[in-house]
Amino acid sequence: MIFFKMPKLTIGKRTAALPIIQGGMGVGISLSGLAAAVAGQGGIGVIAANGIGMIEPDYFADGRAANIRAMRSELRKARAKTSGLIGVNIMVAANDFQQLLDACIEERADALFMGAGLPIKNIPVARIRAAGVMVIPIVSSGRAADLIFKYWEKAYQDIPDAVVVEGPLAGGHLGFRADRLQDADQQLEVLVPQVVAALARYEEAFHKKIPVIAAGGIYTGEDILRFLQLGAQGVQMATRFVATDECDADRRFKEAYVSCRPGDIAIIKSPVGLPGRAIRNHFLDNAAAGVRNVKRCAWRCLEQCDIQHADYCISIALDNARRGLLDQGFAFCGANAHRVESIVPVAELLDGLKHEYEAAFIQSLVTLKDEYVRTIEGKFAGLQQDYLQARQRFVLLRSEAGKAWNLRRDSLREDYERAQALFENLKGEYEAAMKKLNSLKERFPENLAELQEIARRFQADPLPQPAR
Ligand SMILES: Cc1cc2nc3c(=O)[nH]c(=O)nc-3n(C[C@H](O)[C@H](O)[C@H](O)COP(=O)(O)O)c2cc1C
């Protein structure tokens, strides 16, 4: 059931007042500042653990230790600022995935978002459950979701708590081949129902709701409503949260979003071997032209990274961008970054999204009503008339055919059979139209009373009922 106001998002035993998760953004773009601001307003704030140790002074001396220390400290800082829900985003491909995971469990993060790989092997499920931490894998297909759940079911007799499905318009590293980003069957509108369908079996087997969270290119409140209507329970948004006062990146990083145009947003081949979406600049143009810019590698932080052949160290490039040094790095961004017009407080961004959602909801209700009225007055009325006429003719012919049967009037029998076929056909169409009408009726929300404005309109102009 979709509501007039944005619905809450319940995952396992936790409920967020808003169905909005702020996507984790490494390196250092979403730390305690942004995560706490989003959680404080009722969403779920997410700290990105990827390369987080780069905010510490000793990262190049001991990257692993710096990552764990920074992650713990950011989580505690966020906790000190808000009692809202705070998650951590960890890349499965990170070489310290297991240590970060352990530290997050000890710190009792509310949720762990795990992407860039399948979180299946060596997951300490018993400890995760004991600490009350939610596990939320990030996938790009129904197949990947099924693979993870199947593995968990077999290995742990348990399943994750929710799934983020990230489509091809997202920012950062993408889970698609670069030449398939435009394919119709890879779009988020197709992937969301696909993942919902893939999880149905597990919801039933474990008697547990598994919310699906849509991510990638979601920009307005209207987009949020559209994905909830497609079966998602919430959305994950990142690009919009970059251009907020509370985002942890340098102001120059945020301004790069405000000033970029559609032609500046490009798909790059990251040294990690995955495609990524970013704002084009000299640094990336040089890399594409084959200019090598590798000074040092702290500790091979990513499993797939081949620094011998890489054009640059992605962690250093992203960390430079975070600090506003965009000539020595680059900004990852979503496909809609060019729509960003200004840098605003998180509360203002969320208020805008709520208003857009409510307006879109009212519009969708009006459209639904129009569709209902059109169906009754238009196609349905005509069909009903045809059906009634055919029934009359059929009844008449049946009695005549009965009489004539004895006289073996073949032509009348053929006529009768044709009328019967027409009648059966119309009956089918009529019944299908009735079914559609009933389903349209069911889609009207039960909480119409809440909608004062709409309710008055409905009372003044009651829905016509189909004649039987
Ligand atoms: C600057 C930036 C950095 C990101 N870094 C990460 C990351 O470290 N890990 C991750 O799983 N996703 C990352 N993402 C993806 C987001 O979490 C999110 O799912 C996606 O960008 C949603 O699409 P949107 O930006 O169009 O809202 C990043 C996105 C951006 C824009």
Side-chain angles (χ1 to χ4, degrees), residues 23-26 50 89 138 166 170-171 216-217 236-239 257 332-333:
M25 292 180 277
N50 174 33
N89 176 300
I138 303 170
E166 199 181 70
Q236 173 167 291
M237 298 169 73
T239 293
Y257 271 48
F332 269 145
C333 72

Side-chain angles (χ1 to χ4, degrees), residues 89-100:
N89 176 300
I90 315 181
M91 286 176 81
V92 178
N95 255 331
D96 56 350
F97 169 74
Q98 217 66 43
Q99 288 104 311
L100 285 168

Side-chain angles (χ1 to χ4, degrees), residues 249-271:
D250 185 274
R251 196 164 176 92
R252 285 167 287 185
F253 188 102
K254 304 174 191 180
E255 278 162 359
Y257 271 48
V258 178
S259 59
C260 80
R261 285 168 304 193
D264 300 327
I265 299 173
I267 297 299
I268 62 160
K269 188 171 179 295
S270 140

Side-chain angles (χ1 to χ4, degrees), residues 371-387 426 428-430 432-434 436-437:
E371 193 189 341
Y372 179 81
V373 170
R374 265 203 316 278
T375 311
I376 288 183
E377 287 173 356
K379 186 165 182 250
F380 184 79
L383 203 58
Q384 192 177 35
Q385 211 172 1
D386 290 353
Y387 170 72
L426 276 166
E429 272 195 59
Y430 176 76
M434 275 303 288
K436 183 169 179 204
L437 266 180

